[in-house]
Amino acid sequence: MTGKRTMNNYEPVIGLEVHVELNTKSKMFCRCSADYFGKEPNTHTCPVCLGLPGALPYINQSAIEDCIKIGLALNCSVSPISRFERKNYFYPDLSKGYQISQYRWPLCINGQLTLDNGQVIRINRVHQEEDTGKLFHQEGQTLIDFNRSGVPLVEIVTEPDFRDVEAVRDYAKKLQQLFRYLGVSNADMERGDMRLEANVSVRKVKSQKSKVKNTSQNLKVEEELPPYRVELKNINSFRFMVAAIEYEIKRQIEALEKGEKLSQETRGWNGDKKCTYVQRSKEEAHDYRYFPEPDLPELRIEESRVKSLESSMPELPWSKNKRFEEEFKLSTAQAKILTETEELADYFEGLVELGGKEGIDAVKIANYVINQKIGAGTSVEEVLGKIKAKGEGVIGDERELEKLAQEAISENEKAVADYKSGKEAALQVLIGGVMRLSKGKADTSKLKPILEKLLKVVT
Ligand code: ADP
Ligand code: MG
Ligand code: ZN
């Protein structure tokens, strides 16, 4: 970890923008199939997604509902009225010369997500937009495929609340897990279903004293944001994201220490050289000349529609995690592993339900599934059978263990005397005695307290 001290009293300020491509049947504003991956280039296109003059877009309601579900899961409020706007810029993969996005009136706003470390990350917005086409550079030529043009994208933007890289990783992983639970996307990073952009800046930490004062009185004094930020793009794995952010924090601190002034810019991650590099100086929102999309009506979302979407949502991963801890008495770590995918969680619950009828405890099942790396889909009967076989023959009954312990005590006068004279290690001899008498079947975890209890009354 990049500890505070090694960072020379600087702290990073990080905000995350996550894009996720929805797995809807059709594209955002036309009826072309959105399932473009690996398909013959330029076969999933029409006048709308090619941006031909005069073509009229219409809104994919299914995408809107996915966007709302993501927003609700992240505790956002859903705007009763929102709007699409044109974000104007020129790039060869953008045939229209603008991307239909949301800016001033996003669909979902003001959410939050709690991380494993307890920190609450504020979410500024969850809005709906569309993807661009894709450029391929090969043999000195650039080819373009518009199959991806107009595929629904949802963007989730946090406030600059992260103060360490580990929290960023946890957040990004939680979002990926959420998309999969909701079934709105595969969220595969390598395929580009899910894309991360990290905004990084650093600032001097206020003196320890004033910091303590702020937190202890819970005043939540708004601290000033650094006057610049560096946006990291082209990050297609969690590992690269962490590496890029760590590199950037270090680079920025070094620059500031040298008295350099940092400016707003976009940098990419070079995986080979393991460093970030300038792509362009950052444009401001006004450079895009956002204006309301005149070809689309405003988006009106009835309260009743939100309610019904909410009730159609599955139990969210973090709620499931908590429930598993409480209901099955699992540790936080166990619950986290078992709820990693909805599939594994359901499978585990199936095991517990059937196992319960046979007197097999949920923790025992959890341990077995985790240690043996049992995957969802393995026959439930088989797994329970193995857990039972493993437990069979073990003597766990207290009275039976007491009998064996008593026998071991009377056989080992010397060990008893040693123990009485303060040699704790002599207990091992007695444990060994019980194991011999039980032919190795005594449950050792229960043995020690039983022996200690009996030894108290031996004179
Ligand atoms: P843009 O479209 O220009 O990227 P957004 O508003 O979509 O702008 O995203 C800005 C992101 O940058 C947000 O995640 C926000 O939290 C983050 N951010 C803003 N100021 C800072 C800062 N000083 N340091 C780090 N991140 C910042
Ligand atoms: Mg951005
Ligand atoms: Zn189309």
PDB file of all heavy atoms in Angstrom, residues 427-441:
ATOM      1  N   LEU A 427      -0.386 -31.957  28.593  1.00  0.00           N
ATOM      2  CA  LEU A 427      -1.734 -32.158  28.050  1.00  0.00           C
ATOM      3  C   LEU A 427      -1.679 -32.883  26.704  1.00  0.00           C
ATOM      4  O   LEU A 427      -2.552 -33.684  26.381  1.00  0.00           O
ATOM      5  CB  LEU A 427      -2.406 -30.786  27.892  1.00  0.00           C
ATOM      6  CG  LEU A 427      -3.941 -30.785  27.897  1.00  0.00           C
ATOM      7  CD1 LEU A 427      -4.492 -31.272  29.227  1.00  0.00           C
ATOM      8  CD2 LEU A 427      -4.458 -29.390  27.602  1.00  0.00           C
ATOM      9  N   GLN A 428      -0.628 -32.581  25.948  1.00  0.00           N
ATOM     10  CA  GLN A 428      -0.472 -33.217  24.638  1.00  0.00           C
ATOM     11  C   GLN A 428      -0.370 -34.738  24.765  1.00  0.00           C
ATOM     12  O   GLN A 428      -0.883 -35.469  23.924  1.00  0.00           O
ATOM     13  CB  GLN A 428       0.787 -32.676  23.920  1.00  0.00           C
ATOM     14  CG  GLN A 428       0.610 -31.292  23.321  1.00  0.00           C
ATOM     15  CD  GLN A 428      -0.625 -31.201  22.434  1.00  0.00           C
ATOM     16  OE1 GLN A 428      -0.935 -32.111  21.660  1.00  0.00           O
ATOM     17  NE2 GLN A 428      -1.371 -30.105  22.564  1.00  0.00           N
ATOM     18  N   VAL A 429       0.286 -35.187  25.836  1.00  0.00           N
ATOM     19  CA  VAL A 429       0.424 -36.625  26.053  1.00  0.00           C
ATOM     20  C   VAL A 429      -0.967 -37.245  26.239  1.00  0.00           C
ATOM     21  O   VAL A 429      -1.275 -38.294  25.684  1.00  0.00           O
ATOM     22  CB  VAL A 429       1.304 -36.897  27.300  1.00  0.00           C
ATOM     23  CG1 VAL A 429       1.431 -38.397  27.565  1.00  0.00           C
ATOM     24  CG2 VAL A 429       2.678 -36.268  27.125  1.00  0.00           C
ATOM     25  N   LEU A 430      -1.793 -36.540  27.004  1.00  0.00           N
ATOM     26  CA  LEU A 430      -3.135 -37.060  27.262  1.00  0.00           C
ATOM     27  C   LEU A 430      -3.989 -37.031  25.983  1.00  0.00           C
ATOM     28  O   LEU A 430      -4.752 -37.955  25.722  1.00  0.00           O
ATOM     29  CB  LEU A 430      -3.794 -36.241  28.379  1.00  0.00           C
ATOM     30  CG  LEU A 430      -3.069 -36.354  29.731  1.00  0.00           C
ATOM     31  CD1 LEU A 430      -3.622 -35.358  30.725  1.00  0.00           C
ATOM     32  CD2 LEU A 430      -3.175 -37.778  30.277  1.00  0.00           C
ATOM     33  N   ILE A 431      -3.822 -35.963  25.216  1.00  0.00           N
ATOM     34  CA  ILE A 431      -4.560 -35.901  23.937  1.00  0.00           C
ATOM     35  C   ILE A 431      -4.145 -37.080  23.066  1.00  0.00           C
ATOM     36  O   ILE A 431      -4.972 -37.769  22.473  1.00  0.00           O
ATOM     37  CB  ILE A 431      -4.316 -34.550  23.218  1.00  0.00           C
ATOM     38  CG1 ILE A 431      -4.997 -33.419  24.011  1.00  0.00           C
ATOM     39  CG2 ILE A 431      -4.826 -34.588  21.783  1.00  0.00           C
ATOM     40  CD1 ILE A 431      -4.749 -32.021  23.485  1.00  0.00           C
ATOM     41  N   GLY A 432      -2.837 -37.313  23.067  1.00  0.00           N
ATOM     42  CA  GLY A 432      -2.309 -38.455  22.298  1.00  0.00           C
ATOM     43  C   GLY A 432      -2.914 -39.765  22.800  1.00  0.00           C
ATOM     44  O   GLY A 432      -3.281 -40.638  22.007  1.00  0.00           O
ATOM     45  N   GLY A 433      -3.077 -39.851  24.114  1.00  0.00           N
ATOM     46  CA  GLY A 433      -3.666 -41.055  24.698  1.00  0.00           C
ATOM     47  C   GLY A 433      -5.089 -41.281  24.196  1.00  0.00           C
ATOM     48  O   GLY A 433      -5.456 -42.381  23.795  1.00  0.00           O
ATOM     49  N   VAL A 434      -5.866 -40.208  24.191  1.00  0.00           N
ATOM     50  CA  VAL A 434      -7.257 -40.316  23.722  1.00  0.00           C
ATOM     51  C   VAL A 434      -7.284 -40.710  22.240  1.00  0.00           C
ATOM     52  O   VAL A 434      -8.076 -41.550  21.820  1.00  0.00           O
ATOM     53  CB  VAL A 434      -8.018 -38.989  23.934  1.00  0.00           C
ATOM     54  CG1 VAL A 434      -9.410 -39.073  23.322  1.00  0.00           C
ATOM     55  CG2 VAL A 434      -8.105 -38.660  25.412  1.00  0.00           C
ATOM     56  N   MET A 435      -6.400 -40.111  21.474  1.00  0.00           N
ATOM     57  CA  MET A 435      -6.383 -40.424  20.049  1.00  0.00           C
ATOM     58  C   MET A 435      -6.080 -41.907  19.840  1.00  0.00           C
ATOM     59  O   MET A 435      -6.659 -42.553  18.973  1.00  0.00           O
ATOM     60  CB  MET A 435      -5.338 -39.562  19.310  1.00  0.00           C
ATOM     61  CG  MET A 435      -5.699 -38.090  19.203  1.00  0.00           C
ATOM     62  SD  MET A 435      -7.422 -37.767  18.746  1.00  0.00           S
ATOM     63  CE  MET A 435      -7.327 -37.972  16.977  1.00  0.00           C
ATOM     64  N   ARG A 436      -5.161 -42.418  20.678  1.00  0.00           N
ATOM     65  CA  ARG A 436      -4.823 -43.844  20.537  1.00  0.00           C
ATOM     66  C   ARG A 436      -6.034 -44.696  20.913  1.00  0.00           C
ATOM     67  O   ARG A 436      -6.415 -45.605  20.188  1.00  0.00           O
ATOM     68  CB  ARG A 436      -3.618 -44.168  21.422  1.00  0.00           C
ATOM     69  CG  ARG A 436      -2.980 -45.520  21.128  1.00  0.00           C
ATOM     70  CD  ARG A 436      -1.549 -45.618  21.673  1.00  0.00           C
ATOM     71  NE  ARG A 436      -1.251 -44.686  22.769  1.00  0.00           N
ATOM     72  CZ  ARG A 436      -1.671 -44.845  24.040  1.00  0.00           C
ATOM     73  NH1 ARG A 436      -2.380 -45.886  24.393  1.00  0.00           N
ATOM     74  NH2 ARG A 436      -1.349 -43.946  24.955  1.00  0.00           N
ATOM     75  N   LEU A 437      -6.645 -44.369  22.027  1.00  0.00           N
ATOM     76  CA  LEU A 437      -7.799 -45.143  22.493  1.00  0.00           C
ATOM     77  C   LEU A 437      -8.956 -45.099  21.479  1.00  0.00           C
ATOM     78  O   LEU A 437      -9.676 -46.068  21.304  1.00  0.00           O
ATOM     79  CB  LEU A 437      -8.282 -44.586  23.843  1.00  0.00           C
ATOM     80  CG  LEU A 437      -7.368 -44.872  25.038  1.00  0.00           C
ATOM     81  CD1 LEU A 437      -7.776 -44.021  26.224  1.00  0.00           C
ATOM     82  CD2 LEU A 437      -7.399 -46.355  25.416  1.00  0.00           C
ATOM     83  N   SER A 438      -9.125 -43.916  20.821  1.00  0.00           N
ATOM     84  CA  SER A 438     -10.257 -43.770  19.888  1.00  0.00           C
ATOM     85  C   SER A 438      -9.866 -44.165  18.466  1.00  0.00           C
ATOM     86  O   SER A 438     -10.631 -43.968  17.534  1.00  0.00           O
ATOM     87  CB  SER A 438     -10.739 -42.323  19.888  1.00  0.00           C
ATOM     88  OG  SER A 438      -9.743 -41.493  19.314  1.00  0.00           O
ATOM     89  N   LYS A 439      -8.675 -44.689  18.310  1.00  0.00           N
ATOM     90  CA  LYS A 439      -8.144 -45.026  16.973  1.00  0.00           C
ATOM     91  C   LYS A 439      -8.186 -43.812  16.054  1.00  0.00           C
ATOM     92  O   LYS A 439      -8.556 -43.889  14.889  1.00  0.00           O
ATOM     93  CB  LYS A 439      -8.921 -46.194  16.365  1.00  0.00           C
ATOM     94  CG  LYS A 439      -8.817 -47.452  17.215  1.00  0.00           C
ATOM     95  CD  LYS A 439      -9.291 -48.676  16.442  1.00  0.00           C
ATOM     96  CE  LYS A 439      -9.012 -49.949  17.233  1.00  0.00           C
ATOM     97  NZ  LYS A 439      -9.739 -49.986  18.530  1.00  0.00           N
ATOM     98  N   GLY A 440      -7.840 -42.656  16.638  1.00  0.00           N
ATOM     99  CA  GLY A 440      -7.717 -41.421  15.849  1.00  0.00           C
ATOM    100  C   GLY A 440      -9.034 -40.761  15.493  1.00  0.00           C
ATOM    101  O   GLY A 440      -9.078 -39.848  14.666  1.00  0.00           O
ATOM    102  N   LYS A 441     -10.134 -41.221  16.113  1.00  0.00           N
ATOM    103  CA  LYS A 441     -11.430 -40.687  15.676  1.00  0.00           C
ATOM    104  C   LYS A 441     -12.004 -39.597  16.585  1.00  0.00           C
ATOM    105  O   LYS A 441     -13.048 -39.036  16.285  1.00  0.00           O
ATOM    106  CB  LYS A 441     -12.434 -41.823  15.535  1.00  0.00           C
ATOM    107  CG  LYS A 441     -12.134 -42.669  14.314  1.00  0.00           C
ATOM    108  CD  LYS A 441     -13.267 -43.589  13.997  1.00  0.00           C
ATOM    109  CE  LYS A 441     -13.061 -44.210  12.624  1.00  0.00           C
ATOM    110  NZ  LYS A 441     -13.913 -45.377  12.442  1.00  0.00           N
TER     111      LYS A 441
END
